[in-house]
């Protein structure tokens, strides 16, 4: 489940305001300050890692996608340890490749990570046949800019993103996506656009 409280802790540790992007700030620091800041941020992530909870419907969605041979990748701003912990704890034996972590630059909201996945899969339409599933503004913006369909996993903390121009459709549980895919996935019609139908691989940030 979302652990958005981490971001306030990270900004407090770094002494930066909410308006400053955490990773942009980290990458702009000189050495050895950058390494020290990275260590502080990773300590916060490791502490939160042990409190991770699976999103409702996660296993149902992944089993559905796996059963239909749908490729799955991950695009996240986390470093590798929390990602490994999540996969080993909640999705043992499931295949996600490529896995884009903080080491990949530029990070979300830049679409480069999603486009990298599309290239790794040798997709001929760029990212247009991908579905980006996520719960943050960075997820929606990155997916939209890459040309992918976007699915917001909505909750109280991000309800303001449901009608955002970069959000294609919103769901309350991950397994809601199963029925949408079975019926023929469609994003909502955005202002100035016609409805589009996009099917493909699920990406979770």
């Amino acid at each position: 489940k979302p652990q958005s409280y981490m971001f306030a802790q990270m900004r407090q540790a770094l002494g930066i305001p909410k308006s400053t992007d955490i990773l942009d700030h980290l990458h702009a620091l000189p050495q050895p300050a950058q390494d020290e800041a990275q260590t502080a941020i990773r300590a916060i992530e490791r502490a939160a890692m042990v409190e991770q909870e699976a999103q409702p419907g996660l296993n149902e969605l992944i089993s559905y996608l796996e059963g239909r041979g749908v490729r799955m990748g991950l695009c996240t701003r986390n470093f590798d340890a929390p990602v490994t912990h999540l996969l080993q704890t909640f999705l043992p034996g499931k295949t996600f490749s490529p896995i884009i972590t903080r080491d990949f630059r530029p990070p979300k909201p830049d679409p480069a990570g999603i486009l990298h996945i599309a290239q790794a899969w040798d997709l001929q339409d760029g990212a247009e046949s991908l579905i980006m599933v996520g719960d943050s503004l960075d997820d929606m913006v990155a997916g939209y800019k890459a040309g992918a369909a976007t699915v917001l996993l909505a909750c109280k903390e991000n309800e303001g993103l449901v009608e955002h121009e970069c959000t294609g459709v919103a769901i309350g549980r991950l397994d809601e996506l199963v029925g949408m895919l079975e019926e023929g996935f469609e994003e909502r019609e955005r202002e100035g656009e016609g409805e589009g139908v996009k099917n493909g691989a699920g990406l979770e940030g």
Side-chain angles (χ1 to χ4, degrees):
K1 292 184 178 180
Q3 294 177 301
S4 53
Y5 63 86
M6 284 194 301
F7 304 129
Q9 293 177 354
M10 291 176 184
R11 289 190 169 91
Q12 183 177 10
L14 297 173
I16 59 174
K18 189 174 181 179
S19 59
T20 299
D21 184 89
I22 293 169
L23 296 188
D24 286 348
H25 175 78
L26 283 174
H27 293 144
L29 290 173
Q31 293 294 1
Q34 184 175 142
D35 285 345
E36 293 169 355
Q38 289 276 18
T39 298
I41 294 305
R42 288 179 177 180
I44 293 170
E45 289 176 298
R46 283 194 177 93
M49 179 176 74
V50 299
E51 299 178 1
Q52 285 178 342
E53 295 181 34
Q55 285 281 4
L58 172 64
N59 285 295
E60 292 84 351
L61 173 60
I62 299 305
S63 294
Y64 170 83
L65 295 174
E66 187 178 52
R68 282 153 182 77
V70 176
R71 288 178 290 188
M72 298 175 287
L74 286 173
C75 185
T76 177
R77 286 163 59 101
N78 290 335
F79 79 111
D80 55 351
V83 176
T84 300
H85 180 268
L86 183 147
L87 294 176
Q88 292 179 345
T89 303
F90 303 112
L91 296 168
K94 305 301 182 183
T95 299
F96 289 81
S97 180
I99 296 176
I100 306 299
T101 65
R102 181 181 304 159
D103 290 336
F104 183 95
R105 296 183 63 186
K108 297 180 299 184
D110 194 284
I114 298 173
L115 292 172
H116 176 81
I117 292 173
Q119 184 178 26
W121 289 349
D122 197 27
L123 299 181
Q124 301 304 309
D125 61 356
E128 291 187 8
S129 61
L130 298 182
I131 300 176
M132 174 64 174
V133 183
D135 60 17
S136 72
L137 178 59
D138 287 341
D139 294 329
M140 298 300 100
V141 172
Y144 182 75
K145 287 184 175 180
T150 55
V151 176
L152 176 72
L153 183 56
C155 60
K156 183 178 180 180
E157 289 80 5
N158 66 14
E159 59 187 3
L161 297 177
V162 171
E163 298 297 327
H164 192 278
E165 63 180 356
C166 294
T167 300
V169 67
I171 57 177
R173 290 173 52 100
L174 286 172
D175 51 1
E176 288 179 31
L177 191 53
V178 172
M180 298 174 72
L181 292 171
E182 282 290 293
E183 295 170 7
F185 179 82
E186 293 188 20
E187 293 188 287
R188 66 185 174 89
E189 186 174 355
R190 297 183 177 93
E191 185 176 351
E193 297 181 355
E195 288 191 4
V197 179
K198 297 182 179 179
N199 261 299
L203 305 179
E204 246 182 289

